[in-house]
Structures are given as structure tokens and as C-alpha cells.
Amino acid sequence: MIPFYAFIFLPFIFAIIVPFLYKYLNRQVHTGWFVLLVPLSIFLYFLQYIPSVAAGETYMYTLPWIPTLEINLTSYLDGLGLMFGLLISGVGALVILYSIFYMSKEREALHNFYVYLLMFMGAMLGVVFSDHLLVFYGFWELTSVSSFLLISYWYERRSSRQGALKAMLITVFGGFAMLAGFIMLILMADTYSIRELIANLNLLQNHELFLPAMLCVLVGAFTKSAQFPFSIWLPDAMEAPTPVSSYLHSATMVKAGIYLVARMTPIFGGSSVWFWLVAGVGLITLLYGSLTALRQTDLKALLAYSTISQLGLIMCLLGVGSLAVYFGSGEEGTVFTVATFAALFHLFNHSTFKGSLFMVVGIIDHETGRRDIRFLGGLMHVMPVTFTIALVGGLSMAGLPPFNGFLSKEMFFGAVNEVAHAGIFGLSSLGVLFPIIAWVASIFTFVYCMIFIFKTFGGNFRPEKLTREVHEAPLGMLIPPLVLGLLVILIFFFPNLLGKAILIPALSAVLPMMDVAPYDLKISAWHGLNLELLMTVGVIGFGWLLFKTAKRWITSLRGFPKGFMLSHWFDRGIEETEKLSGSLTNRYMTGSLRHYLIYIFSFFVLLLLGSLLGLHGLHFDFSQDAPIGFFETGLAVAMILAALTVLLAGNRIVAIVALGAMGYMISMFFVIFRAPDLALTQMVVETVTTVLFLLCFYHLPKLKKNIERISFKLTNVIISLAMGVTVSLLALAANGHKLFEPITSFFENAYELAGAKNIVNAILVDFRGFDTMLEISVLTIAGLGVYLLVHQRAKRRESNETE
Amino acid sequence: MIFHTILIIALVLLLAAILFNLYRVIKGPSSADRVQALDSVGINLIASIAVYSVLLHTHAFFDLILLIGILSFIGTVAFARFMERGAVIERKR
């Protein structure tokens, strides 16, 4: 049997082949038909795992990657991974089938499209099957990158590029935060494996890094799953082609954050911070998304906000479900286990109905040329099949029977009602907010679902506002949403089939410590006249009332001031940051060499003088010093005078002459300190330098030749004085401290060792000849450089003249 | 001992000469004065190195004496050409 990790790489391998297929076969066959084989085979392959995984088996394979660093491609297959794997490959197959009819063979760059899509699919499979934290992160970033590429698929459009950039910035920010969290986890438990992390729970929970790691991981999950306030990238990502929106931004990628939270529940669940963040943020997102969805006139934007809101719902359920970890396996724990079960159930349901709804919008866009509800209407009779699918998906999203959304929404209400009675983590007072917010958000959800269905398909048909001749979509385009719509209904009638086969194994992966009998988790469409049912009835009643009066209040909602929108603030923030960093950089990168020298020298002084004084490194010891003679003193005075002359000289000739005098004096110092070779060299070099200075002086432009003295600047004086003082202090302090005997005694044997009576020369060419060789090459390079500079300049001048 | 004292006195005088020359280098007033003074510093250096070598009982610095002689000549010529013609090395015309 082929190990399942091979199927993670299958999309990547196929992505390499796709451009060739496109190039040689696109004329005859749409490239998508070949690509369709990949998710189909993966889906069929994973199907056969269902019985064994449902029986509680897990599979693990390790492919060594960097064994010395313990980084291996560890693939782990359990219920949760299998559920996501089936979703990814199943919805993937349908989306590719849909895209074959949606994307034109002649006009679109299909090779790009399918390469990106396959890359994404492989990365997503990698995310859900990785057990190794760093490999998980790698695949996670790959989903961000491929999503970026897919959003900007029509890269000639400005809005596509902007949407892609925004998505990239936010998800990669979250990805980095998640990486930081992972590294903390690795540090705490000294393992890379998620399974071993769960096994070493007690090691983690009392560690001081536990909370930071949790927060970082949560930022990663929230950005990816478009939770409040990181949700702003998702509506802008709707610039992608509709199959992409359907696949990435409703069914798979945005659920990666959900997957992460579910995976980490055994580790972090049970702490109050985790509960409040996950459930609270989920609840806020639910309300925010459903309220904002009402404002939208663009169908895709409406669906984007509805996705945000539904993701919030799932997140909230996962947060509530994490209470089960706190309570453990008792009666109360079981109640909250049901919440996690509901989360997984709704996750599955959402993928089905949202996928189909996006495809419906794609069909409408494709057939009418419009996707703004202000232009659409009365499509019911023109596109009956599309209408049916939209009705099924829309009502399921609203939470009506006989569709699967009804079941998961009932379970959601049940869970939030339980939270109100939980009585821990301060829930006894605040817990009552949960059902209220959930209920209000559900009413809004109902209203926008109605708007989606009836503003598009109801009302009067106005062909004059549409850009194309409207007719029903081709069959191939209808099949994928039909399959999903059929699933929506089938799951309602046979929920326990799905529950037993997929959801319960997934649940036992999320909450491994809970031992729940399957009969506790039976999903039933009718469970008596209870509070949840009454809430649903209320949702329908109020929702219908609001929908009927929508004309009156929805305009005021659309006229909402810009200042309240997160996206506006994000754009402003980016703009302001760019401006601020630009002005900051312009302020210190002035382009003036003088300023840079000031930075360098003041840094030098601050660092050296600061550490000398701060670490009490200044000790002077003059006992070893030789006596100072009159001749040295006189020479030093002469040198100081010459140096001052250089500084205060009225013209440059004086400065050059004074510099020459100073060089001569230095060579005299070499004589006094008995260094004949140095004195010789110094003398020659000094003379040559003086001549060179004169050469340069001759070439100064006429205008500037008569600049008088160096202009006085206080900062320059201060910095130069500080620099001189620092170096002097350092030299004086260093001179008195000889920690070791110098090695000069070794060089005194120059005659025996090297046959040279001149020690300096023996060192230069024998003991340390390597330095000399490199010095020679420095001089060579300098000479060549001068030659080239002079020569090239002369050449250029010639060529300018000939022109 | 007397010889040593004489050498020291010679050094002091040479040092004084260098300092006075330096005064001329600083004071000016024309460039020619300064170059003249620099040349003179070189010659004084030759003398003081010679005296110093006697003091140190070494002949390691004799090369230097010759070199300073050559170089201060070259330097002075270079300055002179510069002041006279505006350039140290002229192109062939």
C-alpha cells in the first residue's frame, strides 16, 4: 500500500507537469481535466481509510528530511486529519471540475492557475497531516504564498494586487507569530511532535512560556481563519477567480486556523485564557461578520462576510468545547464535548453549503456579467437549477430545516445555552451574553441569507441592466454545486452516518482524554420542544420581519461612516507607516557624508567611553614608563604646532606644508625610538604623499580653490575632542596593563631561525610573510585602481568629444 | 663625558632651530618662506639624526640621512615647480 504521505506530494509533482500539458495539449483538451485526476485519486484513496480510522486506528510515517536537526516529514493520520483531507480533496475535485467550465480555455493562463491551485492543495494536505511543528509551519506558509498567487491571478487588475498584498501581509504576520509560539512550545517540551506535546502536557502547563506560546499560536490561527479583527483580508481576497474563492476562502484555507485551534485544544484547552479568547473572539467575529454582511451589495463580498461570521461560529464552538478539557470526563465534560462535536459538524456543513453558494455566485457572474444585487433580480425563472441550489445552500446557511445547517445551528444554540450555566471562568455573570449574541447574530445571518436568495432570484427580471444574454449555466458548471447541494440535504437526513464515520474519530483526535460513547453524540433533527427550537423559531420570525422591512433600515446601514471600518484603518495604517518610515529615513539618511561621520564617531565615543566608565575600566599605571627626555618633548611640541597649523591654516598650501613638516617629525620620532626601517619608509611615503597632495590641489576647481580656513562648527569640535580624549584614555589605560609577556624574545632569534640580522625584515618576509604578500596586493590593487580611474575618465572625455 | 655634553647641547640647538623653522612655516608670510623653512627643517633633521646616531653608537640611521637629503631636495623642487608653473608634473606638449 502506498503510504499516505505520498499523496501530499502528488499535487506538487503534478504541478510540475501541468505547464507541459498546457503547452502541448491545451488546444485539444482543457488542462483542468488532467488536474482533476489528482484530487479525485487522493479523495478515493482517503475514502478507504474511513473504516479503520473510525475503529480508532491512527497511522504515522516518517520521512527523514534533516535528521541531524531532528526535522523530519512526519505525517500523522487520525480522525481530524482524515476529515480535513477528505474535505480538501473532495471539494478540490469539485472545484476543479467547476473551474474547467468557468475558466476559458482560450483566454485564461490556465497553466498558472492550476499550478498555483495544485501547490495550494498540496500545502493544505501537508498542513493537516504534519505532526512535526516546523514542517507544519512550512506548509502553512506555503498555503499563504499560493493563496497570494491565486488572489492576484488577474494581476493586471489593481484591486487584485491590493487584495493579494493585504492577504499576504496579514496571514504572514500571523504565520510568524505562530512560528514564535511553536518555538516556545518546542523549548518547553523539547520535542517537535504535536503528539508528544500532548503526551507531555504536565510539563507544559506550569511553564512560564505557556501563556505567550498560546497567544502567539492563537494570533496565527485567528489571522488565517479571518477572525476579528484580522478578518479584513478575506473580503478583499474576493478579487480571485470564483473557483478560488469557493475553494480557498470558504472550504479549506480559512479552516486552517480552525484546524490549528482544534489540534491545540488538548494542549491549551482547559485554561480560562484559551476559552475566553477562542470563544469570545469567535462570538465577536460571528456578530461582526453577520452584521457587516448585511451592508454588502456585491454577492461575493456578502458571502465573504458570511464566511467570516460562520468561521466565528465554529471558533466559538471550539472555545466552548475546550471547557470539556477543564471538566474532564464527567457529565459536565460530556455536555461540552458535544460543543466540539458541533464545531466539527458545522465545519463540515459549512464547507458543503458555502462551496456551493460561491459556485452559484460564479454562475450568476458568468451568465449575467453582474454580481451586484442592485442590478440583479428575477433570475428564478431564467435559471431554475441555479436557483434551487442557491435556495438549498442559502436556507442551510440560515439554519432552516430540512438542511444540514439547521442541525448544526441547533447544536450551536444548545452549546451556548450550556455555557450560561457553566459557572466557571466568570461565566456565571457573563455567560448569559453567549446565547444572546449568538441569537442576534443568527437573526442577521437569516436576513442576509434571505437577501442573498430573494434579491438575486426574486423580484422582477431586468435584462436591460445585465450585460449578457441570460440563460442557464452549462451542465458541467452545475454538477459540482449540485453535488454539494445534494450533500447538504443528505447530511440532514442521515447525519449519524457522517457522525460515526468521520466526525467521532475527528472528535477523539481533538479531545483525546474524553471517552464519549457514540450514543451521546447522536444528531437528531427533532429532539422535542426545547429552548433551542424556540430560538430557531424566533430567528425565523424576527429575521423575516427584518427582511420585509429591509428597505427602510438597510440604507442607513450602508451609509455607515468609513471611520468605523477596520479595512479603512488598515489601509490608513499602512499608508501612515510608509510615510512615517519614509520621513524617518529621510531625516537621518541625509546623504551628507559629514552626518554619517558624526554618527560613526559619536557611536564610537559613546560605546567605548561609556563602557570604559561604566565598567570601571580606567586604571592608570605609569610605573613601567620610560623617562621623558627633552628632545622628545621638543619634537612633540613641534608636532602639536604643525597639527594646529593644519587645522587653522588660511589656505591649503600652508596645510600641505605643515602636514609635510609633521610627517618629517614623525620619522624623527622613529629615529628616537630606534626604528630605522620605519623611519626610512615614513620619510619616503611622506614625500610622495606631499607631492600627491600638490597634484590634487592643482586639480581643484577654480571657484573653490580660494576657500580660506576650515569653518568653525561646534558639533565638530565637540566630537573631535571627545574622540581624541577617548582614544588617549584608552591608550593610556591599556599601556599600563601587560597581562602576558610579549613574544618579542622569539623574534630575537631571527639569525638562527631565518638567517637574518635585521629582525624587522625577518618578520616581514619570513615569520609573517603572508601579511606582506597581501600588503603588496593591496598596493597593486590601489595602483591598478588609480590607473583605471584616470584612464577611463580620459577615455570618456574623448568619447564625449567625438559625439 | 664632555663629548656627551657637547652632543646634547648640539641637539638642543638643533631642536631650537627646528622650532624656529616651524615658526616660519606657520607664520609665512608667503608660500616660498614656508617651503624654504620646510627644507631647512629637513636639513636640521639630517644633522640631529647624525648627532643622535653618535649618541646611540649606531650606524643604522646613516641610510636615513642620505634619504632625507634626497627627499627634501625632491620635495622642495616639487613645491617650487608647483608655485612657479602651477603643476608638479607637466604633460608633454
Side-chain angles (χ1 to χ4, degrees):
Chain A
M1 209 155 142
I2 323 161
F4 63 89
Y5 63 72
F7 281 86
I8 299 174
F9 297 107
L10 182 68
F12 291 117
I13 295 162
F14 207 79
I16 297 171
I17 308 171
V18 163
F20 296 103
L21 289 175
Y22 175 77
K23 195 175 176 192
Y24 297 112
L25 292 171
N26 187 47
R27 292 277 161 73
Q28 293 96 40
V29 195
H30 194 285
T31 316
W33 289 112
F34 303 107
V35 178
L36 182 60
L37 296 175
V38 176
L40 214 57
S41 55
I42 298 174
F43 183 69
L44 292 175
Y45 178 78
F46 280 132
L47 274 184
Q48 55 183 338
Y49 273 100
I50 289 178
S52 57
V53 170
E57 270 184 66
T58 57
Y59 299 85
M60 198 161 125
Y61 294 95
T62 301
L63 198 66
W65 182 20
I66 316 174
T68 45
L69 295 179
E70 290 180 58
I71 296 177
N72 300 313
L73 294 169
T74 313
S75 310
Y76 177 68
L77 187 136
D78 60 357
L80 190 65
L82 184 66
M83 174 173 148
F84 271 90
L86 284 172
L87 271 179
I88 292 160
S89 52
V91 180
L94 293 173
V95 161
I96 286 171
L97 181 63
Y98 177 77
S99 73
I100 292 170
F101 295 92
Y102 187 86
M103 308 293 281
S104 158
K105 193 164 70 170
E106 285 83 22
R107 275 178 285 124
E108 303 286 358
L110 288 177
H111 51 312
N112 291 347
F113 181 74
Y114 286 114
V115 166
Y116 301 159
L117 203 65
L118 283 172
M119 247 170 77
F120 171 78
M121 191 183 291
M124 199 66 209
L125 286 172
V127 165
V128 297
F129 289 126
S130 288
D131 186 51
H132 193 285
L133 283 171
L134 294 182
V135 175
F136 180 98
Y137 170 73
F139 281 120
W140 180 278
E141 287 298 309
L142 203 53
T143 63
S144 293
V145 171
S146 50
S147 160
F148 169 77
L149 291 170
L150 282 167
I151 296 168
S152 59
Y153 171 70
W154 285 310
Y155 52 81
E156 63 276 8
R157 289 188 198 164
R158 194 181 149 79
S159 51
S160 291
R161 296 196 301 267
Q162 278 179 339
L165 191 64
K166 197 187 247 183
M168 185 77 166
L169 280 175
I170 294 178
T171 51
V172 168
F173 160 73
F176 274 131
M178 189 187 78
L179 179 64
F182 280 179
I183 290 171
M184 286 184 223
L185 280 176
I186 292 166
L187 285 178
M188 278 190 274
D190 196 25
T191 173
Y192 290 104
S193 160
I194 299 174
R195 285 173 57 256
E196 283 175 34
L197 280 177
I198 296 171
N200 293 337
L201 260 187
N202 46 351
L203 209 70
L204 294 173
Q205 264 159 355
N206 297 320
H207 202 283
E208 55 186 352
L209 282 177
F210 183 70
L211 198 64
M214 178 202 290
L215 295 179
C216 284
V217 168
L218 271 185
V219 167
F222 287 168
T223 51
K224 200 75 163 181
S225 278
Q227 297 296 301
F228 190 86
F230 305 113
S231 52
I232 46 178
W233 66 268
L234 188 63
D236 286 18
M238 290 301 129
E239 293 299 330
T242 305
V244 173
S245 310
S246 166
Y247 187 41
L248 271 70
H249 306 127
S250 72
T252 51
M253 187 177 97
V254 289
K255 300 221 164 82
I258 305 266
Y259 171 81
L260 181 64
V261 169
R263 257 289 172 247
M264 294 290 163
T265 296
I267 301 173
F268 294 121
S271 84
S272 65
V273 182
W274 176 266
F275 166 77
W276 273 110
L277 274 178
V278 175
V281 169
L283 209 61
I284 293 169
T285 313
L286 168 65
L287 188 67
Y288 163 78
S290 60
L291 195 61
T292 320
L294 289 172
R295 299 160 31 93
Q296 309 303 321
T297 56
D298 181 40
L299 284 177
K300 270 180 108 175
L302 190 150
L303 286 184
Y305 278 108
S306 99
T307 304
I308 291 171
S309 131
Q310 303 277 323
L311 290 170
L313 192 159
I314 299 169
M315 200 61 99
C316 176
L317 276 174
L318 279 178
V320 174
S322 75
L323 287 179
V325 183
Y326 177 83
F327 283 115
S329 52
E331 197 190 330
E332 274 194 288
T334 316
V335 167
F336 292 110
T337 312
V338 178
T340 309
F341 186 69
L344 296 171
F345 188 42
H346 193 70
L347 191 153
F348 202 94
N349 292 344
H350 179 250
S351 296
T352 57
F353 65 70
K354 193 52 66 70
S356 78
L357 285 178
F358 265 111
M359 290 177 188
V360 164
V361 173
I363 290 171
I364 295 169
D365 193 12
H366 204 260
E367 301 305 326
T368 66
R370 296 274 190 194
R371 33 172 237 240
D372 195 312
I373 46 174
R374 287 171 298 189
F375 297 104
L376 295 166
L379 294 177
M380 194 189 291
H381 305 291
V382 197
M383 307 165 85
V385 186
T386 317
F387 168 64
T388 316
I389 301 164
L391 192 69
V392 170
L395 292 182
S396 174
M397 182 156 75
L400 258 59
F403 308 107
N404 58 8
F406 171 71
L407 302 176
S408 37
K409 186 145 285 182
E410 290 277 280
M411 291 168 83
F412 172 56
F413 284 149
V416 287
N417 285 338
E418 285 300 333
V419 169
H421 312 298
I424 50 155
F425 301 156
L427 278 173
S428 47
S429 53
L430 286 170
V432 78
L433 279 176
F434 273 75
I436 294 173
I437 294 177
W439 191 65
V440 172
S442 297
I443 293 174
F444 290 143
T445 307
F446 184 84
V447 177
Y448 72 67
C449 290
M450 293 304 119
I451 291 176
F452 176 78
I453 298 167
F454 291 107
K455 294 270 165 166
T456 321
F457 294 96
N460 303 318
F461 183 49
R462 292 168 294 176
E464 71 281 357
K465 291 209 170 181
L466 306 176
T467 51
R468 286 180 206 158
E469 189 78 27
V470 183
H471 50 78
E472 186 58 271
L475 186 65
M477 220 166 178
L478 285 173
I479 287 176
L482 265 178
V483 171
L484 287 173
L486 216 62
L487 265 176
V488 168
I489 300 170
L490 280 179
I491 291 174
F492 176 79
F493 286 108
F494 309 102
N496 292 318
L497 227 58
L498 176 81
K500 255 196 207 115
I502 295 172
L503 295 182
I504 288 176
L507 179 70
S508 60
V510 178
L511 300 171
M513 67 291 286
M514 301 299 292
D515 184 31
V516 186
Y519 56 80
D520 287 334
L521 299 168
K522 255 208 166 59
I523 310 161
S524 48
W526 174 257
H527 34 69
L529 191 68
N530 54 10
L531 188 59
E532 286 90 64
L533 195 67
L534 285 178
M535 281 169 90
T536 306
V537 172
V539 164
I540 296 169
F542 274 100
W544 191 253
L545 208 69
L546 276 177
F547 173 61
K548 277 292 152 193
T549 56
K551 272 212 178 82
R552 276 176 227 158
W553 52 268
I554 213 155
T555 40
S556 65
L557 203 60
R558 279 184 192 149
F560 220 50
K562 240 183 166 181
F564 284 98
M565 279 162 65
L566 286 172
S567 197
H568 171 71
W569 288 108
F570 179 83
D571 294 340
R572 276 282 303 281
I574 294 271
E575 240 171 68
E576 291 296 317
T577 321
E578 278 173 6
K579 251 190 230 158
L580 188 73
S581 57
S583 69
L584 260 180
T585 313
N586 282 340
R587 201 164 294 163
Y588 72 87
M589 298 299 280
T590 51
S592 153
L593 216 53
R594 184 179 158 244
H595 290 160
Y596 301 155
L597 287 176
I598 288 177
Y599 305 150
I600 293 169
F601 286 133
S602 23
F603 180 74
F604 186 88
V605 167
L606 284 177
L607 195 72
L608 269 182
L609 208 58
S611 54
L612 269 183
L613 295 176
L615 302 173
H616 307 290
L618 279 180
H619 302 291
F620 300 112
D621 179 16
F622 298 119
S623 59
Q624 305 278 315
D625 291 1
I628 303 169
F630 74 95
F631 198 58
E632 292 100 291
T633 322
L635 272 178
V637 169
M639 277 175 74
I640 291 169
L641 284 175
L644 283 175
T645 315
V646 174
L647 272 182
L648 305 172
N651 72 56
R652 288 178 198 229
I653 293 272
V654 180
I656 294 170
V657 172
L659 211 59
M662 195 146 118
Y664 282 6
M665 243 76 85
I666 289 176
S667 80
M668 196 58 217
F669 257 106
F670 287 141
V671 172
I672 294 172
F673 295 123
R674 296 167 181 75
D677 298 287
L678 278 181
L680 272 175
T681 320
Q682 167 66 25
M683 210 60 218
V684 178
V685 170
E686 193 52 49
T687 311
V688 173
T689 320
T690 309
V691 174
L692 275 179
F693 274 136
L694 284 175
L695 262 177
C696 293
F697 186 73
Y698 169 68
H699 283 289
L700 276 183
K702 286 248 160 24
L703 263 177
K704 300 213 167 165
K705 219 173 233 177
N706 292 328
I707 289 180
E708 292 95 32
R709 58 187 74 246
I710 302 171
S711 58
F712 180 83
K713 290 196 185 73
L714 191 64
T715 41
N716 287 12
V717 175
I718 292 170
I719 287 176
S720 54
L721 281 180
M723 191 74 192
V725 167
T726 309
V727 176
S728 311
L729 284 179
L730 194 68
L732 287 177
N735 195 38
H737 300 277
K738 241 176 221 166
L739 294 179
F740 306 103
E741 272 300 300
I743 57 163
T744 40
S745 53
F746 172 75
F747 295 121
E748 275 158 21
N749 302 326
Y751 189 68
E752 291 94 78
L753 291 171
K757 283 178 182 164
N758 186 332
I759 294 180
V760 176
N761 289 354
I763 290 173
L764 281 180
V765 299
D766 191 300
F767 295 122
R768 310 216 33 187
F770 207 65
D771 293 351
T772 313
M773 187 184 79
L774 293 178
E775 294 291 335
I776 290 168
S777 53
V778 166
L779 284 178
T780 316
I781 291 165
L784 279 174
V786 169
Y787 171 77
L788 278 177
L789 281 174
V790 173
H791 196 67
Q792 291 298 89
R793 184 143 172 258
K795 244 186 177 173
R796 208 186 313 145
R797 200 180 290 150
E798 266 166 37
S799 67
N800 283 349
E801 276 166 12
T802 51
E803 278 167 15
Chain B
M1 197 59 215
I2 297 167
F3 185 57
H4 190 253
T5 327
I6 291 169
L7 286 177
I8 298 283
I9 292 167
L11 266 183
V12 171
L13 291 175
L14 284 167
L15 183 67
I18 289 174
L19 282 170
F20 286 134
N21 275 316
L22 213 62
Y23 172 76
R24 221 359 93 193
V25 168
I26 295 163
K27 193 70 188 168
S30 74
S31 291
D33 293 309
R34 296 194 171 96
V35 175
Q36 187 68 40
L38 188 65
D39 194 36
S40 181
V41 167
I43 290 163
N44 279 310
L45 281 179
I46 293 176
S48 33
I49 290 169
V51 174
Y52 215 77
S53 301
V54 179
L55 258 179
L56 293 175
H57 291 286
T58 172
H59 49 77
F61 296 109
F62 287 6
D63 311 350
L64 190 60
I65 293 170
L66 287 175
L67 194 80
I68 296 177
I70 297 162
L71 288 179
S72 75
F73 169 69
I74 292 173
T76 312
V77 168
F79 270 111
R81 280 180 76 91
F82 179 76
M83 286 185 296
E84 192 74 0
R85 304 188 182 173
V88 181
I89 304 160
E90 281 169 293
R91 289 195 199 159
K92 286 171 197 156
R93 291 178 195 276

